[in-house]
Amino acid sequence: MLLIAGLGNPGSQYARNRHNIGFMAVDAIHARHRFSPWVKKFKALIADGTIDGEKVLLIKPQTFMNLSGQSIGEAMRFYKLALDDLVVIYDELDLPAAKVRIKAGGGANGHNGIKSIDAHMQGLLGGKDYRRLRLGIGHPGAKELVHNYVLGDFAKVDNEWLDLLFSALSDNLAYLVKKDDNGLMNKLTLALGGQQTTTKPVVKDTGAKPVPKAQSHIRQARQNNNNAPSSVIKLPASGPMADMLARLFGKKDN
């Protein structure tokens, strides 16, 4: 059996939050395939189905993000599952929006849901090397903006790449079940290739003046020819470049 956990916070007020992209992905999988209706168990909503001949259990913890490990730990113990039978889908700040990564193990990178699951898996199975499917949501650009950003809703224009992501993940779920992570990544990358996203970094104003871009010798010579201030013009005095600039911009006889 494969246990696919989507992370998020319960309640309609959180439904479109960036932090809830794990819930959104699992909901899309549930809608695409013939899973059972959602039922309450393990302090979570669960649904079961079969993908490519393998039994799959979807789980959405209802304990709020910071306690996600409670629900997942209970389900893992009940079904006597191993670490490699678990896939967790969640939001990743350090990936640009519409970018996806999957690997076994790794750090929590400040994600409280993953911290909770790590703690429960470490105590239950003696390790943290379960598979993690990280869905990029982008970063607001400053640490103090993160809380409001992840608990903020996706913009309507994000629907284009979100729909592509969820459709590609749902259509290629068999790769996840077969533990063919490279095959899944190839399919997702192909589906999401070239997507434009709305996430833009926030740049703090430090008061420093921007550094001017370097100009070519030809542009500087053109400015000089148009009586630009000599203090900003630094042209070569000799050599091939000096000879060429003299031919191009040298003053003609009247």
Side-chain angles (χ1 to χ4, degrees), residues 18-19 93 97 137-140 145-153 199:
R18 295 179 180 89
H19 218 21
L93 278 165
I137 61 170
H139 197 287
L145 301 177
V146 166
H147 179 78
N148 288 336
Y149 178 77
V150 297
L151 293 180
D153 287 356
T199 303

Side-chain angles (χ1 to χ4, degrees), residues 55-109:
K55 187 171 182 179
V56 175
L57 185 72
L58 304 178
I59 184 168
K60 297 191 297 180
Q62 301 295 292
T63 54
F64 287 91
M65 184 68 80
N66 294 5
L67 300 176
S68 297
Q70 291 183 2
S71 297
I72 295 170
E74 285 188 30
M76 295 287 285
R77 283 191 295 271
F78 182 85
Y79 292 107
K80 298 179 173 62
L81 300 179
L83 281 172
D84 63 355
D85 295 324
L86 172 63
V87 176
V88 179
I89 306 176
Y90 62 100
D91 56 299
E92 177 56 73
L93 278 165
D94 288 342
L95 283 177
K99 297 297 181 182
V100 182
R101 295 290 183 272
I102 184 170
K103 74 170 190 175
N109 198 25

Side-chain angles (χ1 to χ4, degrees), residues 121-206:
M121 294 304 103
Q122 186 73 43
L124 177 64
L125 298 169
K128 300 183 290 186
D129 291 337
Y130 56 90
R131 292 152 73 203
R132 305 161 190 231
L133 180 56
R134 299 179 293 144
L135 309 183
I137 61 170
H139 197 287
K143 185 177 180 180
E144 60 269 22
L145 301 177
V146 166
H147 179 78
N148 288 336
Y149 178 77
V150 297
L151 293 180
D153 287 356
F154 284 107
K156 289 183 179 180
V157 292
D158 288 319
N159 287 337
E160 182 176 354
W161 68 265
L162 287 170
D163 288 346
L164 284 173
L165 169 60
F166 297 148
S167 293
L169 177 59
S170 300
D171 290 345
N172 295 285
L173 194 64
Y175 288 95
L176 197 65
V177 175
K178 294 176 182 177
K179 301 177 182 177
D180 183 358
D181 294 344
N182 288 334
L184 177 65
M185 280 301 304
N186 288 338
K187 292 294 185 180
L188 296 181
T189 300
L190 183 64
L192 293 166
Q195 283 303 300
Q196 298 295 317
T197 66
T198 61
T199 303
K200 295 181 180 180
V202 177
V203 180
K204 297 179 72 175
D205 184 5
T206 62

Side-chain angles (χ1 to χ4, degrees), residues 214-230 232-237 240-251:
Q215 292 182 326
S216 69
H217 286 135
I218 293 177
R219 176 169 290 186
Q220 293 180 48
R222 183 176 290 114
Q223 288 179 337
N224 191 47
N225 199 48
N226 291 329
N227 297 319
S230 59
V232 299
I233 305 300
K234 295 181 180 180
L235 300 176
M241 178 60 73
D243 294 339
M244 183 191 74
L245 294 175
R247 289 196 299 272
L248 287 172
F249 298 104
K251 294 183 179 179

